[in-house]
Amino acid sequence: MRRRTFVSIAALVSLVNAIPGLIAPVAVASLYGATVDRQSAVLGQLLASSYIGYAVINWTTRGTTDVTVRRGIDIANFLGWAISAVIWIYAASTGMTNAVGWVGAGFTVLFALGWAYFVFVDRAIESRTVTAARRA
Protein backbone atom coordinates (compact mmCIF):
# COMPACT_ATOMS: atom_id res chain seq x y z
CA MET A 1 0.00 0.00 0.00
CA ARG A 2 1.29 3.44 -0.82
CA ARG A 3 2.04 5.80 2.05
CA ARG A 4 -0.45 8.45 0.91
CA THR A 5 -3.27 5.89 0.88
CA PHE A 6 -2.36 4.52 4.31
CA VAL A 7 -2.07 7.99 5.85
CA SER A 8 -5.46 8.95 4.38
CA ILE A 9 -7.08 5.83 5.85
CA ALA A 10 -5.43 6.45 9.24
CA ALA A 11 -6.69 10.04 9.23
CA LEU A 12 -10.24 8.97 8.41
CA VAL A 13 -10.26 6.20 11.01
CA SER A 14 -8.99 8.64 13.66
CA LEU A 15 -11.69 11.15 12.75
CA VAL A 16 -14.50 8.57 12.65
CA ASN A 17 -13.47 7.27 16.08
CA ALA A 18 -12.97 10.72 17.58
CA ILE A 19 -16.27 12.40 16.73
CA PRO A 20 -18.53 10.05 18.74
CA GLY A 21 -16.10 10.21 21.67
CA LEU A 22 -16.22 13.99 21.56
CA ILE A 23 -20.00 14.21 21.30
CA ALA A 24 -21.10 11.29 23.50
CA PRO A 25 -18.20 9.92 25.58
CA VAL A 26 -20.46 8.10 28.05
CA ALA A 27 -22.30 6.25 25.26
CA VAL A 28 -19.01 5.27 23.60
CA ALA A 29 -17.61 3.99 26.91
CA SER A 30 -20.74 1.90 27.44
CA LEU A 31 -20.15 0.15 24.08
CA TYR A 32 -16.94 -1.18 25.61
CA GLY A 33 -18.61 -2.17 28.85
CA ALA A 34 -17.12 0.71 30.83
CA THR A 35 -18.91 3.13 33.09
CA VAL A 36 -17.56 6.64 33.43
CA ASP A 37 -18.25 9.57 35.71
CA ARG A 38 -18.30 13.21 34.63
CA GLN A 39 -14.56 13.70 35.10
CA SER A 40 -13.75 10.60 33.06
CA ALA A 41 -16.13 11.79 30.34
CA VAL A 42 -14.21 15.06 30.10
CA LEU A 43 -10.94 13.14 29.84
CA GLY A 44 -12.50 11.06 27.06
CA GLN A 45 -13.47 14.24 25.24
CA LEU A 46 -9.92 15.57 25.60
CA LEU A 47 -8.61 12.33 24.11
CA ALA A 48 -11.12 12.54 21.27
CA SER A 49 -10.09 16.12 20.53
CA SER A 50 -6.46 15.05 20.21
CA TYR A 51 -7.48 12.30 17.79
CA ILE A 52 -9.16 14.96 15.67
CA GLY A 53 -5.89 16.92 15.73
CA TYR A 54 -3.92 13.83 14.66
CA ALA A 55 -6.41 13.21 11.86
CA VAL A 56 -5.99 16.78 10.59
CA ILE A 57 -2.19 16.57 10.74
CA ASN A 58 -2.17 13.27 8.86
CA TRP A 59 -4.71 14.41 6.28
CA THR A 60 -3.07 17.75 5.52
CA THR A 61 0.44 16.30 5.25
CA ARG A 62 -0.41 13.05 3.46
CA GLY A 63 1.13 14.20 0.19
CA THR A 64 4.32 15.70 1.54
CA THR A 65 7.55 14.71 -0.13
CA ASP A 66 9.79 16.25 2.55
CA VAL A 67 11.59 13.25 4.05
CA THR A 68 12.11 14.95 7.42
CA VAL A 69 8.42 15.82 7.77
CA ARG A 70 7.36 12.33 6.72
CA ARG A 71 9.80 10.74 9.15
CA GLY A 72 8.52 12.80 12.08
CA ILE A 73 4.88 12.08 11.26
CA ASP A 74 5.56 8.37 10.78
CA ILE A 75 7.50 7.97 14.04
CA ALA A 76 4.94 9.95 16.07
CA ASN A 77 2.05 7.92 14.66
CA PHE A 78 3.90 4.64 15.17
CA LEU A 79 4.60 5.44 18.83
CA GLY A 80 1.05 6.61 19.50
CA TRP A 81 -0.56 3.56 17.89
CA ALA A 82 1.93 1.10 19.42
CA ILE A 83 1.47 2.44 22.95
CA SER A 84 -2.29 2.43 22.45
CA ALA A 85 -2.10 -1.18 21.26
CA VAL A 86 -0.33 -2.23 24.47
CA ILE A 87 -2.94 -0.43 26.59
CA TRP A 88 -5.88 -1.84 24.59
CA ILE A 89 -4.52 -5.38 24.80
CA TYR A 90 -4.00 -5.00 28.54
CA ALA A 91 -7.50 -3.60 29.05
CA ALA A 92 -9.16 -6.29 26.93
CA SER A 93 -7.17 -9.19 28.37
CA THR A 94 -7.76 -8.20 32.01
CA GLY A 95 -11.51 -7.78 31.63
CA MET A 96 -11.52 -3.98 31.85
CA THR A 97 -13.60 -3.99 28.66
CA ASN A 98 -16.10 -6.35 27.15
CA ALA A 99 -15.40 -8.31 23.95
CA VAL A 100 -15.65 -5.11 21.88
CA GLY A 101 -12.38 -4.05 23.50
CA TRP A 102 -10.62 -6.62 21.33
CA VAL A 103 -11.84 -4.71 18.26
CA GLY A 104 -10.05 -1.64 19.57
CA ALA A 105 -6.98 -3.74 20.28
CA GLY A 106 -7.06 -5.17 16.76
CA PHE A 107 -7.32 -1.77 15.10
CA THR A 108 -4.45 -0.34 17.14
CA VAL A 109 -2.22 -3.33 16.38
CA LEU A 110 -3.07 -3.07 12.68
CA PHE A 111 -2.25 0.63 12.50
CA ALA A 112 0.87 0.25 14.65
CA LEU A 113 2.14 -2.36 12.19
CA GLY A 114 1.27 -0.11 9.25
CA TRP A 115 3.16 2.82 10.72
CA ALA A 116 6.06 0.51 11.65
CA TYR A 117 6.32 -0.40 7.97
CA PHE A 118 6.73 3.25 7.00
CA VAL A 119 9.18 3.94 9.83
CA PHE A 120 11.45 0.94 9.27
CA VAL A 121 10.87 -0.82 5.93
CA ASP A 122 9.85 2.07 3.68
CA ARG A 123 12.74 4.14 5.03
CA ALA A 124 15.19 1.40 4.09
CA ILE A 125 13.75 1.29 0.57
CA GLU A 126 13.82 5.07 0.33
CA SER A 127 17.48 5.27 1.41
CA ARG A 128 18.49 2.88 -1.39
CA THR A 129 16.69 4.89 -4.05
CA VAL A 130 18.97 7.17 -6.03
CA THR A 131 17.34 10.20 -7.55
CA ALA A 132 18.53 12.04 -10.62
CA ALA A 133 19.43 15.07 -8.50
CA ARG A 134 21.80 12.98 -6.37
CA ARG A 135 23.70 11.60 -9.36
CA ALA A 136 24.39 14.98 -10.86
Side-chain angles (χ1 to χ4, degrees):
M1 178 179 293
R2 292 178 15 146
R3 184 184 181 281
R4 182 181 174 104
T5 304
F6 180 77
V7 173
S8 298
I9 292 168
L12 291 172
V13 167
S14 292
L15 188 64
V16 166
N17 282 307
I19 291 175
L22 184 65
I23 296 170
V26 175
V28 171
S30 71
L31 291 174
Y32 294 97
T35 56
V36 295
D37 57 17
R38 287 180 15 174
Q39 290 86 2
S40 298
V42 170
L43 290 175
Q45 288 174 312
L46 288 171
L47 177 64
S49 67
S50 32
Y51 274 101
I52 291 171
Y54 304 143
V56 170
I57 289 169
N58 285 333
W59 185 262
T60 58
T61 61
R62 71 190 184 281
T64 187
T65 57
D66 186 323
V67 175
T68 306
V69 172
R70 286 174 52 165
R71 184 96 177 117
I73 290 168
D74 294 349
I75 290 170
N77 274 286
F78 167 65
L79 289 174
W81 284 100
I83 292 167
S84 293
V86 170
I87 294 168
W88 266 113
I89 291 168
Y90 172 77
S93 65
T94 59
M96 294 175 71
T97 68
N98 58 21
V100 179
W102 286 108
V103 174
F107 270 113
T108 56
V109 167
L110 183 69
F111 279 100
L113 291 173
W115 286 111
Y117 171 81
F118 291 107
V119 169
F120 301 110
V121 178
D122 191 51
R123 179 174 185 221
I125 293 168
E126 189 175 83
S127 69
R128 287 182 277 163
T129 305
V130 178
T131 62
R134 277 188 171 166
R135 285 188 266 173

